[in-house]
Amino acid sequence: MTPKTLIIRTAGTNCDAELAHAFRLAGAEPVTLHLNQLLADPAQLEAFQLIGFPGGFSYGDDIAAGRIFANRLRHGLLQPLQAAIARGVPVIGICNGFQVLVKLGLLPDPAAAIQTTTLADNTSGRFIDRWVPMSVNPDSPCVWTRGLVEDGTSEFELPIAHGEGRFTAPDAVLDGLEAHGQVALHYGEDVNGSDRTIAGLCDPTGRVLGLMPHPERFTTATHHPAWTRKAQAEPDWLTHTTPGLRMFQSAVESVSARESTAAPA
């Protein structure tokens, strides 16, 4: 069975096509729906095995990045989203999608749905658009990064493009997130002032992931700005599975494994 992925877009979303392409490459069937379509019929969520919140500038990032999108979800789709997560649906929020997930409260705890963290302005005060070093937490339960750990890919690069990407929370919250392995990804350097260089966060089950870097923009080797030099230095560079694509494959594999286990003999 090919897992179906719901990609939720709204006014100002601009990375939904790239996200759909990444899921398609990973073996899923993406379906993009506008938020208004889902608010009119929330039961549609029950037909999907994966959910993605793409990047962009939803509602112009008025008030705060992701705030309006999150508020609309809270008043019409929060319980259906919680139910989807409870039945095992992996969810990813990238950049603006991450901002939406934390403001909605689906991260760090979708059951509570209370905002305890946020993404604030970069300490530089500027929009940052570049490739940055990343590292994966091998002790995290995150299903999206599990494949990277299994493949031994502990350090890699991903592109970022954000002005409000500084992850921040009270120390007590940060301590709890680290203690439970919910910090799935770190920056390899101080990119935007994020507390403890946190780049990606998952929920306690590992199914819900939010991250500021864009894995959907590194699904083929030639996406990397230095691909020609890397291809000369590493003969298999052009044919190896990129870290970005591997993240989507890992989530799709987790769904396929669960479906096969649940299928009647």
Side-chain angles (χ1 to χ4, degrees), residues 191-208:
V191 171
N192 51 25
S194 289
D195 292 349
R196 307 185 191 184
T197 65
I198 294 174
L201 183 74
C202 71
D203 75 321
T205 70
R207 289 191 291 267
V208 184

Side-chain angles (χ1 to χ4, degrees), residues 97-113:
F98 186 16
Q99 294 160 340
V100 170
L101 290 179
V102 299
K103 290 180 171 64
L104 181 56
L106 291 183
L107 282 175
D109 183 359

Side-chain angles (χ1 to χ4, degrees), residues 20-138:
H21 181 64
F23 274 112
R24 191 175 294 111
L25 288 177
E29 176 191 347
V31 177
T32 302
L33 294 178
H34 193 281
L35 173 61
N36 291 345
Q37 294 174 278
L38 293 167
L39 289 173
D41 183 11
Q44 293 179 89
L45 269 72
E46 298 173 8
F48 295 92
Q49 290 77 50
L50 296 125
I51 297 175
F53 289 89
F57 304 91
S58 59
Y59 301 98
D61 281 348
D62 287 342
I63 305 175
R67 173 63 70 188
I68 296 176
F69 195 173
N71 284 349
R72 295 203 68 198
L73 289 167
R74 179 173 294 279
H75 294 294
L77 284 175
L78 176 57
Q79 291 182 344
L81 285 168
Q82 288 175 309
I85 295 167
R87 66 179 168 87
V89 174
V91 178
I92 190 169
I94 302 171
C95 201
N96 193 239
F98 186 16
Q99 294 160 340
V100 170
L101 290 179
V102 299
K103 290 180 171 64
L104 181 56
L106 291 183
L107 282 175
D109 183 359
I114 297 172
Q115 184 180 356
T116 58
T117 69
T118 196
L119 283 307
D121 290 339
N122 301 336
T123 51
S124 65
R126 299 190 299 271
F127 187 90
I128 304 173
D129 181 5
R130 64 184 179 90
W131 286 69
V132 298
M134 307 287 304
S135 64
V136 63
N137 177 7

Side-chain angles (χ1 to χ4, degrees), residues 176-193:
L177 295 175
E178 290 184 333
H180 294 94
Q182 289 183 245
V183 179
L185 293 162
H186 286 275
Y187 295 112
E189 60 188 42
D190 184 1
V191 171
N192 51 25

Side-chain angles (χ1 to χ4, degrees), residues 209-228:
L209 173 67
L211 71 166
M212 289 310 298
H214 287 266
E216 83 283 13
R217 297 183 184 176
F218 190 22
T219 54
T220 64
T222 51
H223 284 159
H224 196 285
W227 72 267
T228 53

